[in-house]
Every structure is written in structure tokens, then in C-alpha cells.
């Protein structure tokens, strides 16, 4: 493993059920295969420990994001590849974290609300529409989409592997990851006249 690897925080933001956890797991696997040290901070898990007891008011949601950002920064500056998947609905809190972490890559996991609700991975949308959950993002609480994300995934139109590939390619483009030999050869083949 290289010793001068630069850490980064890959931050997935999007509605519940948009695909943050699904894509982040694929990217995590890919990073580990490339020998990176990876830590994942998933909103659902963070809320059972680091942010235990916090609710879903704007203040608590912002506190949750700033705590995740604080830990992400500590890890990032120590060369770790950090993956955060958290709804992170408020732009200002995300931007605050982004300002603090130089090596920050923002991924908007975009999926129309209707599709997220149709997927209803955790059965929460039904409850939210039935009024059994207050302050549910996208239904009865705001989601402010990022204005200039580094990557946009359209998970209603892509397979999870395709979405993950877009993320990995962006990390390569920024120089955080080296393209693999097979990727370089693949690109060469695609652009080379020899292949025609
Ligand atoms: N391109 C895609 N990326 C991610 N998830 C997808 C995609 N296409 C379909 N899905 C499905 O959408 C659901 C997303 O759920 P999940 O990853 O738990 O969302 P979140 O973590 O954002 O709440 C999964 O059932 C997944 O299989
Ligand atoms: Mg999730």
C-alpha cells in the first residue's frame, strides 16, 4: 500500500431510500479492494451511538451533521477514505462541513420522491404519508438539494453498480485514486483507432 495516500470524505446526500447506503457499500468494497483504509459513517448507525438521543428538528439534524463532519475531518486528515451516507437535508450544515474538510467530495444521490416512496425500503414513507411519522424528509420536512455537487447519481435510471462507477471515476479524476490497469486499457481501447 502506498504511504502517501491522501484521505478524503465522500459525502452522499439524498432522500431516504434514494440509494445512499446501497451505493456507498459498493464504493466501500471497491476502495478496500484497492487497499485503502476506509471508514463508513452511515446516518442510521450514527444515530444509534454518536448522535443517540438526537431527534429530527432542524437543530438536531444540523447537530447530527456537524458531529459526523467533525469525525470525518479527523479521519480524513489521517489519510482515511471516509464515506458518509446521511440524508443531510440542510444546505448550510453541509456547506459548513465542506468548508472544514478540504478533501471533500459531495455526491447528490438523486431520486424522485415518488420513486423513493414506491421503493419504501424501510416502510417509512407509508407511515409518513399516513401521518404516523412527523418531520419526514421530503414528505413533511424539507430537503435542500446541493447546488453544485461533484457527482449527481440518478438512481431511478441507473443500476447501483453504474452509480458506484460514476463515483469511483470522479475520485480518479480528482486524483484521490489511481485508475486500475484494466480501466486504463479499457479507455485506451475505447479511444484508439487500432480498435476500429
Ligand atoms: N442506482 C441505484 N443506486 C442505489 N440504489 C438503487 C439504485 N437503483 C435501485 N436502487 C434501490 O433503491 C434502494 C435504496 O435503498 P437505500 O440504499 O437503503 O437508500 P438510503 O440509504 O438512501 O436510504 C435499494 O433497494 C436499492 O436496491
Ligand atoms: Mg441508508
Amino acid at each position: 500500500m502506498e504511504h502517501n495516500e491522501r484521505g478524503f470524505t465522500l459525502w452522499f446526500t439524498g432522500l431516504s431510500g434514494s440509494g445512499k447506503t446501497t451505493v456507498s457499500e459498493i464504493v466501500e468494497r471497491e476502495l478496500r479492494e484497492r487497499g485503502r483504509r476506509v471508514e463508513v459513517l452511515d446516518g442510521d448507525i450514527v444515530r444509534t451511538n454518536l448522535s443517540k438521543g438526537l431527534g429530527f428538528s432542524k437543530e438536531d439534524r444540523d447537530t447530527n451533521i456537524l458531529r459526523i463532519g467533525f469525525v470525518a475531518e479527523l479521519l480524513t486528515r489521517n489519510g482515511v477514505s471516509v464515506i458518509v451516507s446521511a440524508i443531510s437535508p440542510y444546505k448550510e450544515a453541509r456547506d459548513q462541513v465542506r468548508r472544514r474538510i478540504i478533501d471533500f467530495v459531495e455526491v447528490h444521490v438523486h431520486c424522485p420522491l415518488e420513486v423513493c416512496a414506491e421503493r419504501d425500503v424501510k416502510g417509512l414513507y407509508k407511515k409518513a404519508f399516513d401521518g404516523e411519522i412527523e418531520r419526514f424528509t421530503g414528505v413533511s420536512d424539507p430537503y435542500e438539494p446541493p447546488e453544485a455537487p461533484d457527482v449527481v447519481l440518478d438512481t431511478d435510471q441507473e443500476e447501483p453498480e453504474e452509480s458506484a462507477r460514476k463515483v469511483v471515476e470522479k475520485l480518479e479524476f480528482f486524483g484521490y485514486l489511481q485508475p486500475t490497469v484494466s480501466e486504463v486499457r479499457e479507455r485506451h481501447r475505447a479511444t484508439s483507432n487500432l480498435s476500429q
Side-chain angles (χ1 to χ4, degrees):
M1 190 167 73
E2 293 171 45
H3 293 283
N4 58 351
E5 282 168 353
R6 197 172 170 104
F8 55 85
T9 289
L10 186 58
W11 192 288
F12 291 91
T13 170
L15 297 173
S16 175
S18 59
K20 303 179 295 298
T21 299
T22 304
V23 178
S24 67
E25 281 171 355
I26 302 172
V27 174
E28 177 190 7
R29 203 181 319 131
E30 179 77 29
L31 291 172
R32 286 194 197 283
E33 277 170 12
R34 295 186 190 207
R36 305 300 292 231
R37 287 174 296 153
V38 186
E39 285 295 343
V40 178
L41 298 167
D42 191 284
D44 285 341
I45 297 161
V46 166
R47 276 185 173 277
T48 67
N49 44 70
L50 181 66
S51 290
K52 193 172 173 152
L54 290 183
F56 295 89
S57 64
K58 179 177 189 303
E59 194 187 1
D60 279 8
R61 286 177 187 271
D62 285 349
T63 301
N64 179 44
I65 293 315
L66 295 179
R67 283 185 192 172
I68 295 173
F70 176 78
V71 176
E73 204 264 330
L74 297 181
L75 293 165
T76 300
R77 74 184 190 204
N78 281 286
V80 176
S81 303
V82 184
I83 299 178
V84 175
S85 26
I87 297 173
S88 23
Y90 294 106
K91 185 178 182 306
E92 198 191 313
R94 288 193 309 266
D95 287 350
Q96 218 172 311
V97 174
R98 186 174 200 157
R99 279 194 296 274
R100 205 168 298 158
I101 307 177
I102 298 157
D103 297 291
F104 188 92
V105 180
E106 187 173 55
V107 182
H108 182 197
V109 185
H110 178 258
C111 184
L113 179 73
E114 310 77 64
V115 178
C116 293
E118 179 78 21
R119 289 176 179 167
D120 211 3
V121 191
K122 299 176 208 152
L124 295 176
Y125 279 96
K126 186 181 181 313
K127 288 188 181 165
F129 283 120
D130 290 348
E132 288 168 30
I133 303 176
E134 282 173 35
R135 313 201 69 147
F136 194 78
T137 302
V139 177
S140 44
D141 217 46
Y143 178 76
E144 301 170 357
E147 280 163 16
D150 298 298
V151 189
V152 180
L153 307 177
D154 292 296
T155 69
D156 60 322
Q157 292 161 42
E158 303 160 1
E159 291 301 320
E161 290 71 20
E162 219 176 320
S163 301
R165 175 115 303 275
K166 282 164 72 171
V167 174
V168 168
E169 280 176 0
K170 187 59 77 164
L171 291 172
E172 290 173 352
F173 177 77
F174 285 152
Y176 292 116
L177 282 183
Q178 293 289 325
T180 61
V181 170
S182 57
E183 281 172 329
V184 173
R185 295 197 67 129
E186 183 63 36
R187 280 171 211 164
H188 176 73
R189 212 170 288 133
T191 54
S192 168
N193 290 333
L194 295 170
S195 62
Q196 291 175 355

